Amino acid sequence: MSDFVYSANPGRVIFGSGTISRLGEEADRLGVKRIVVLSTPEQEEQAGAIAVNLGARTVGLFAGAQMHTPTDVTQNAMDLIASRDADAVVSIGGGSTTGLGKAIAFRTDLPQIVVPTTYAGSEATPILGETEAGKKVTKSDPRILPEVIIYDVDLTLTLPVGMSVTSGVNAIAHAAEALYAREANPVISMMAEEGISAIARALPLIQANPSDLAARSDALYGAWLCGVCLGSVGMALHHKLCHTLGGMFGLPHASMHTIILPYALAYNAHAAPQAMQRIARAINQERAPLGLFDLTRKLGGQIALKDIGMPAEGIEQAVDEILAKPYWNPEALARGPLIRLLTAAYSGELPADDLFQR
Ligand code: NAD
């Protein structure tokens, strides 16, 4: 056993079917009485139902959450929080809504209850990515970590199959990078392998029947574990690539993660053989990069960056930015191999393990 450091993030998790009925009880447990409910415009109706469910504890509803947490949207929500003298936020939705709740908590230290409806995993992390004047800045702070997560599997049944696939592979990416993180430790690695395995076995069943409650439950459980991985150890090349491409070209978050992951793993395959073995075992395939590529392809997910809006001439520019402010990565980052990686991901080439070796 190698030496390691493990620090756990505090947080209370309620998991199951119909658990949304426990929201009021959880608010009372936190001792909060003036709640603002947050959602995207698309989930306003669900947020409205929650506001009703909370009864007199609800003092407002803000249904303006947007992808990448723009600070002007946060300011609008902050105005409502101040005008209603709110003492807590309840965020219902995916990573975008959770991001807004976190941005408010970072500024006010108000407690958050998050009701996740995708597999993004943000609810389990003390990390916030905000966008101001087109630049995404990431910060980590204990105030950002939500106090309570209520996972209600029933609320994920409406997540369309396409989004379930991309969101699920987005979660797998957190766990995959946790397995070769600089701060990797046996507890998080155990969660990572279990999280990848739960999602990988659930996605084909969800594709066949989006109302399969047992599969939805496995996927959401896996998403939580993968979120814990993201919140506990540092991420590497995969997350750096996605962060860079998302910021530069506004590519859709979850699809971009799904496309990039097999290539980032192929890049790191030789430097992190044990992590690759564990990922391959978790997805029940021989090779991690090709196995994930095949999984996405079979599930009907997109496999090429050119199909989600990446401009071909952006590849060199993106590599320059990655090298200007690199993340730690098990394999050394170098211009030639990184250009090969993005060129292959651009066209959806097979991510063979030796594709990027110098
Ligand atoms: P999202 O939250 O943007 O949701 C996409 C769309 O799906 C929205 O319109 C949403 O309302 C809708 N939706 C969500 N759940 C639904 C459901 N069950 N049924 C029907 N529609 C539903 O997408 P996302 O991928 O969950 O989140 C992406 C954002 O989260 C990005 O901004 C990303 O940076 C951030 N994120 C942050 C962290 C972190 O730790 N800070 C981790 C992961 C993702």
Side-chain angles (χ1 to χ4, degrees):
M1 170 73 55
S2 318
D3 297 357
F4 65 88
V5 174
Y6 169 69
S7 36
N9 284 322
R12 177 172 161 89
V13 173
I14 321 283
F15 188 98
S17 167
T19 46
I20 194 68
S21 63
R22 293 172 57 182
L23 183 56
E25 199 184 306
E26 287 302 315
D28 294 345
R29 199 173 167 278
L30 282 175
V32 298
K33 295 185 168 56
R34 301 185 60 78
I35 297 170
V36 165
V37 180
L38 308 171
S39 76
T40 59
E42 294 79 16
Q43 286 179 286
E44 184 164 8
E45 207 178 301
Q46 257 178 336
I50 280 196
V52 170
N53 175 325
L54 283 168
R57 302 179 195 91
T58 307
V59 295
L61 168 64
F62 182 88
Q66 278 179 28
M67 184 85 95
H68 305 310
T69 328
T71 49
D72 53 336
V73 172
T74 301
Q75 191 48 55
N76 292 340
M78 289 284 295
D79 293 344
L80 181 72
I81 299 272
S83 71
R84 305 287 162 89
D85 194 21
D87 63 4
V89 290
V90 168
S91 312
I92 168 151
S96 297
T97 305
T98 306
L100 175 61
K102 287 172 151 186
I104 292 167
F106 178 66
R107 289 162 174 76
T108 59
D109 208 13
L110 290 185
Q112 310 164 68
I113 302 178
V114 182
V115 185
T117 62
T118 71
Y119 308 132
S122 174
E123 63 280 358
T125 83
I127 306 160
L128 166 66
E130 303 190 276
T131 316
E132 182 153 26
K135 268 220 168 285
K136 193 158 177 176
V137 181
T138 304
K139 40 177 82 81
S140 182
D141 188 284
R143 281 172 294 180
I144 295 170
L145 183 75
E147 278 69 10
V148 180
I149 310 171
I150 300 183
Y151 287 109
D152 188 335
V153 182
D154 302 1
L155 300 177
T156 64
L157 295 175
T158 51
L159 191 65
V161 169
M163 271 195 60
S164 301
V165 170
T166 53
S167 190
V169 181
N170 179 193
I172 288 178
H174 308 329
E177 291 229 297
L179 283 165
Y180 56 62
R182 190 167 30 176
E183 305 84 356
N185 65 70
V187 176
I188 292 300
S189 294
M190 201 165 57
M191 287 182 153
E193 196 173 334
E194 169 82 353
I196 296 171
S197 158
I199 293 177
R201 70 172 177 264
L203 291 180
L205 300 173
I206 291 172
Q207 185 193 32
N209 174 15
S211 307
D212 182 334
L213 205 62
R216 287 288 189 185
S217 189
D218 273 354
L220 195 59
Y221 164 65
W224 169 51
L225 294 178
C226 293
V228 172
C229 294
L230 174 67
S232 303
V233 296
M235 296 288 114
L237 175 63
H238 170 80
H239 282 76
K240 178 69 188 179
L241 282 163
C242 291
H243 193 87
T244 306
L245 298 181
M248 288 179 108
F249 310 114
L251 305 185
H253 177 84
S255 310
M256 176 178 62
H257 272 270
T258 306
I259 295 168
I260 293 282
L261 183 61
Y263 300 98
L265 294 185
Y267 192 101
N268 285 330
H270 288 263
Q274 280 180 344
M276 296 304 145
Q277 271 173 17
R278 294 187 79 163
I279 298 165
R281 187 166 63 193
I283 60 173
N284 205 14
Q285 298 278 332
E286 215 168 296
R287 320 289 311 167
L290 273 176
L292 278 168
F293 183 82
D294 278 346
L295 180 72
T296 301
R297 205 162 39 172
K298 282 194 190 117
L299 293 169
Q302 279 155 317
I303 51 160
L305 289 176
K306 66 176 161 48
D307 297 333
I308 61 162
M310 170 84 190
E313 62 281 8
I315 292 177
E316 298 219 0
Q317 197 191 341
V319 169
D320 288 344
E321 183 153 321
I322 288 162
L323 291 174
K325 261 190 168 184
Y327 283 11
W328 176 88
N329 191 59
E331 178 71 60
L333 298 184
R335 192 174 166 78
L338 284 173
I339 289 181
R340 277 206 291 290
L341 185 167
L342 281 181
T343 307
Y346 178 80
S347 57
E349 222 175 291
L350 280 183
D353 281 13
D354 55 0
L355 190 59
F356 314 111
Q357 296 311 304
R358 280 156 293 160

